[in-house]
Amino acid sequence: MLDLLPDLFDHYPDQLTLLLNPWQSFGAKSIFYGEVVTVKCFEDNSKVKSELAKKGHGKVLVVDGGGSCRRALLGDMIALNAYKNGWEGIIINGCIRDAGTINTMQIGVQALGTNPIKTDKKDVGEVNAIIEIAGVSIHPGMMIYADLNGIAVSKQSLDLSILQ
């Protein structure tokens, strides 16, 4: 399957909300989905690092970095750790770095762009907070679906067997 969202919106138009941001896709896994885990932080990726160090099978970390592109909230070392811990993907409302290396990893990543500058580490941020991205409230436990067409959220898991 090369596209997920067009078919999902055809079958579940009333159960999905599109996150209208200028997302860029990174990582070798262009289609990913899973249960939402949230982090809210601003130019400090301490909480991102600690969450992705945990097991994440079936989960996607959604990071509200306030849309800031002055620092990168994800780099290759943290992305590799996420991959090793089984995370399905990472969505950053902000920037990443080490894009070339991340593009070789079998993990899905979407972000607003890139910036080579790392963050300060002050251990500031909130885990599993309700966040808002592109005017959409995202709660921990929701489902998120991403591909090269964009990112959408749903309050519950959708039956993907209809797509086969």
Side-chain angles (χ1 to χ4, degrees), residues 47-61:
K47 301 294 185 189
V48 174
K49 181 178 181 179
S50 64
E51 282 305 297
L52 293 173
K54 299 174 184 174
K55 296 294 179 197
H57 297 280
K59 297 180 180 177
V60 174
L61 187 68

Side-chain angles (χ1 to χ4, degrees), residues 34-39 51 59-63 87 127-129 131 139-142:
E35 180 184 344
V36 170
V37 175
T38 64
V39 167
E51 282 305 297
K59 297 180 180 177
V60 174
L61 187 68
V62 182
V63 180
W87 288 83
V127 176
N128 280 326
I131 59 175
H139 299 245
M142 291 178 84

Side-chain angles (χ1 to χ4, degrees), residues 4-5 8-9 12-20 23 32-38 60-63 91 131-147 150-158:
L4 175 65
L5 289 188
L8 283 182
F9 273 98
Y12 301 109
D14 299 328
Q15 295 176 16
L16 288 164
T17 304
L18 188 65
L19 301 183
L20 290 171
W23 301 109
F32 61 96
Y33 53 90
E35 180 184 344
V36 170
V37 175
T38 64
V60 174
L61 187 68
V62 182
V63 180
I91 295 170
I131 59 175
E132 186 175 306
I133 297 177
V136 178
S137 260
I138 302 171
H139 299 245
M142 291 178 84
M143 291 295 291
I144 198 149
Y145 302 88
D147 70 5
I151 301 170
V153 293
S154 174
K155 290 181 180 175
Q156 67 278 332
S157 181
L158 304 176

Side-chain angles (χ1 to χ4, degrees), residues 93-115:
N93 185 27
C95 284
I96 70 162
R97 66 189 218 154
D98 303 311
T101 304
I102 289 173
N103 281 340
T104 68
M105 297 178 193
Q106 281 298 320
I107 191 164
V109 176
Q110 291 216 19
L112 298 180
T114 59
N115 185 321

